[in-house]
Amino acid sequence: MTATFGIVAFVVAIIVSIMIHEWGHFSTARRFGMRADKFFLGFGPTLWSTRRGETEYGVKALPLGGFVRVRGMGRSEERRPSIARAWAADDRLEADRRAAAEADGLDLLAVSLASPTSLARLDHLLDERGAPADTRAAIVDQVHRAAPATTAAAVEAVDRAVDDVVPAVSDDVAMTDRARLSSLHHRLRHGDQGRFFHDRPAWQRAIVLVAGSFWHFVIAIVLFFGGLALLPQGTGTATNEVGEVQVGSAAAEAGMQAGDRVVAIDGVTSDNFLVLRDTIRANLGTPVTITVRRDGQVIDLEGTPTAGTDPETGDSVGQLGFIPMERRERLGVGDAAWETFVGPRSVPAQVGLSLSAIGDVFGPEGIGQLFGQISGNEQRSMEGGISMVGGAAMTGQGVASVGIMFLILMVVSVNVFIGVLNLLPLPPLDGGHLAVLGIEVVTNRVRSLLGRPTDFTVDPRTVAAVALPVLLVLGTVGLGLIWLDIVNPIQLP
């Protein structure tokens, strides 16, 4: 596979992972009856959008992630009233009636508040609340026929039309509270009542906050297990097939090529590469016959092993200068599950590594090393941080040399890292919102035991005071790593 494929696949996989993260927030918020009215890929100017129900879906110009807007996460957000009161607000009905009366040359009192302009606005408001076209038409028609003459009558006419056209939750129908909140009838008759984020029980809000990171771990587990179970894995055992011939080595001078299968060394034949290796080591400085199979033909080559060092004993031994290919086999389901959940490369193990990496990269020492690398005073190493730009480039290198498993491992590690980072108890991360929620719940329980009002909330200014330096550190490190990955990228060995 090519490096370009690896880069493109990595970028697409990360974008999809982030959108699944946002879908986790979105789906759980909707499940609990919260108002989630935006779900977008990217940031910046909107390139395309469409409305389904009360939610706007779309794509923005910069595909650097995505976002979902759940109303009520900020305490100052304004609630939508019922559709009737939204339609009748700000004297718009009277202004529309005056315009209609002047256009037709009629007396003001002879014109209904349900003028064509006001009815068009009612239809637009109904569309924003997610009412289907036939429902909107039926409500608008009924209000038109009611011909309300006063604002109070107009509100009453819309409420009556909603009750007649849209099924309401009746007492004899078993519906959960969250289903009622999500119903079209509630959205039209009661607006955002009970539907803001902070209206819902603490356990529901906690699930919404955790849902994004939860899906990063699900993605990591599924990809890692699937890769281990479906793709051949290295066993650590060398084969007789030549994987690489080192430039200028005795093997290169003898004419060996990658893909050759070594049949014998100086007459010694074996399917066990270690037997052939020992023969090479024993013939330091002595010419040997290298018998290889290439394209179905058996070829004899001549080469003289040069001096090398035995890594176990330190003794000088003969070497030809080629690297054998590793034996690769598929893991069984049980072994793949073990590696995924328990083994040294497992997802839980990567959680621990991610926590350690966060401390190393974002800590004072890590930031100092980052600036030292930017200034050129320190050398960059594989153990340091890397941005998504560097991750994409490294994935391209790895896929070209190792294969698709390298792509899977990179996507898995990035998902685990994002999942862990996002759960840190620091605003504006999801873990920071979760920490604020926990503080409010614990404080209000204590206040309840003391007989005091349970209305404590963390001051948004306090949250902002913590969020700003966190954003500054994240932004500084992120931009610094991007710069390094452009001007001084890490190269795989």
Side-chain angles (χ1 to χ4, degrees):
M1 293 185 179
T2 66
T4 301
F5 170 81
I7 293 172
V8 173
F10 176 83
V11 172
V12 171
I14 297 306
I15 291 176
V16 171
S17 298
I18 294 174
M19 294 310 297
I20 293 176
H21 170 113
E22 297 301 335
W23 179 83
H25 294 311
F26 176 77
S27 60
T28 51
R30 291 282 298 272
R31 174 66 176 162
F32 295 133
M34 300 177 191
R35 177 184 160 198
D37 57 6
K38 283 187 181 293
F39 190 106
F40 272 80
L41 167 64
F43 300 95
T46 300
L47 299 179
W48 169 86
S49 69
T50 184
R51 184 176 297 279
R52 295 288 184 271
E54 65 174 338
T55 304
E56 182 184 9
Y57 302 87
V59 177
K60 291 186 175 287
L62 302 176
L64 304 176
F67 71 94
V68 57
R69 184 170 71 183
V70 178
R71 289 291 187 171
M73 295 194 73
R75 299 276 179 174
S76 61
E77 289 189 62
E78 186 176 347
R79 294 177 187 267
R80 292 187 307 193
S82 69
I83 195 72
R85 298 196 176 278
W87 183 52
D90 302 328
D91 297 326
R92 294 286 298 277
L93 293 180
E94 289 291 347
D96 291 341
R97 176 158 70 172
R98 282 194 297 271
E102 292 174 1
D104 295 335
L106 299 174
D107 183 79
L108 181 64
L109 297 179
V111 177
S112 166
L113 282 174
S115 65
T117 302
S118 61
L119 289 176
R121 187 163 52 84
L122 175 61
D123 181 78
H124 176 71
L125 292 172
L126 289 167
D127 183 40
E128 286 186 333
R129 304 288 175 100
D134 56 345
T135 300
R136 302 199 311 266
I139 293 174
V140 169
D141 180 66
Q142 185 168 326
V143 173
H144 172 67
R145 287 186 283 106
T150 65
T151 300
V155 171
E156 183 180 351
V158 174
D159 284 340
R160 187 184 304 113
V162 170
D163 289 338
D164 291 344
V165 175
V166 182
V169 179
S170 59
D171 295 335
D172 59 346
V173 177
M175 290 190 69
T176 62
D177 180 53
R178 56 180 177 264
R180 175 184 61 79
L181 291 172
S182 297
S183 69
L184 178 60
H185 185 272
H186 182 93
R187 299 201 301 267
L188 299 183
R189 285 288 271 121
H190 305 286
D192 288 334
Q193 179 183 331
R195 303 194 67 219
F196 267 27
F197 177 80
H198 56 254
D199 293 335
R200 311 309 300 146
W203 67 271
Q204 293 183 4
R205 286 180 278 164
I207 289 176
V208 172
L209 291 171
V210 171
S213 289
F214 167 80
W215 279 106
H216 282 298
F217 297 120
V218 171
I219 292 169
I221 290 170
V222 170
L223 285 179
F224 195 37
F225 176 80
L228 292 173
L230 299 177
L231 299 176
Q233 305 297 313
T235 62
T237 302
T239 68
N240 287 19
E241 188 171 351
V242 177
E244 179 184 348
V245 177
Q246 297 173 338
V247 177
S249 65
E253 293 177 0
M256 293 184 71
Q257 299 177 7
D260 286 349
R261 182 170 185 83
V262 182
V263 177
I265 299 292
D266 217 27
V268 177
T269 303
S270 177
D271 289 331
N272 185 344
F273 176 76
L274 296 181
V275 173
L276 303 180
R277 184 199 65 178
D278 290 343
T279 303
I280 296 171
R281 287 183 171 183
N283 284 277
L284 172 61
T286 303
V288 296
T289 300
I290 309 163
T291 305
V292 301
R293 184 181 298 277
R294 179 185 303 166
D295 299 329
Q297 295 183 341
V298 176
I299 304 172
D300 286 335
L301 307 173
E302 296 294 329
T304 302
T306 57
T309 303
D310 187 330
E312 297 178 0
T313 65
D315 296 336
S316 182
V317 295
Q319 64 177 19
L320 287 173
F322 70 91
I323 300 173
M325 292 189 68
E326 184 181 16
R327 187 181 305 281
R328 304 177 70 81
E329 297 176 355
R330 284 190 176 88
L331 297 181
V333 172
D335 290 336
W338 173 270
E339 287 291 326
T340 301
F341 295 102
V342 183
R345 299 185 301 169
S346 66
V347 172
Q350 291 193 50
V351 170
L353 291 174
S354 294
L355 284 170
S356 177
I358 289 171
D360 292 340
V361 173
F362 294 100
E365 184 176 349
I367 294 176
Q369 289 178 347
L370 174 65
F371 282 106
Q373 292 167 1
I374 292 174
S375 64
N377 294 327
E378 294 190 30
Q379 294 295 320
R380 203 168 185 204
S381 67
M382 293 286 295
E383 289 72 29
I386 189 172
S387 72
M388 290 298 176
V389 174
M394 183 179 292
T395 302
Q397 298 175 45
V399 168
S401 60
V402 178
I404 196 170
M405 193 62 194
F406 192 92
L407 167 66
I408 292 175
L409 292 175
M410 285 294 293
V411 174
V412 166
S413 64
V414 169
N415 270 279
V416 172
F417 182 84
I418 294 176
V420 171
L421 177 66
N422 205 49
L423 286 178
L424 294 180
L426 297 170
L429 304 173
D430 289 338
H433 293 296
L434 193 64
V436 170
L437 175 62
I439 292 171
E440 293 178 346
V441 168
V442 171
T443 302
N444 282 318
R445 285 185 179 176
V446 172
R447 289 167 67 95
S448 176
L449 293 175
L450 297 176
R452 300 175 61 184
T454 56
D455 56 356
F456 171 79
T457 59
V458 175
D459 192 332
R461 292 172 296 184
T462 302
V463 177
V466 177
L468 287 176
V470 171
L471 283 173
L472 179 62
V473 171
L474 291 176
T476 299
V477 173
L479 291 174
L481 290 175
I482 290 174
W483 172 259
L484 282 176
D485 288 332
I486 292 173
V487 302
N488 184 22
I490 294 176
Q491 299 294 327
L492 291 179

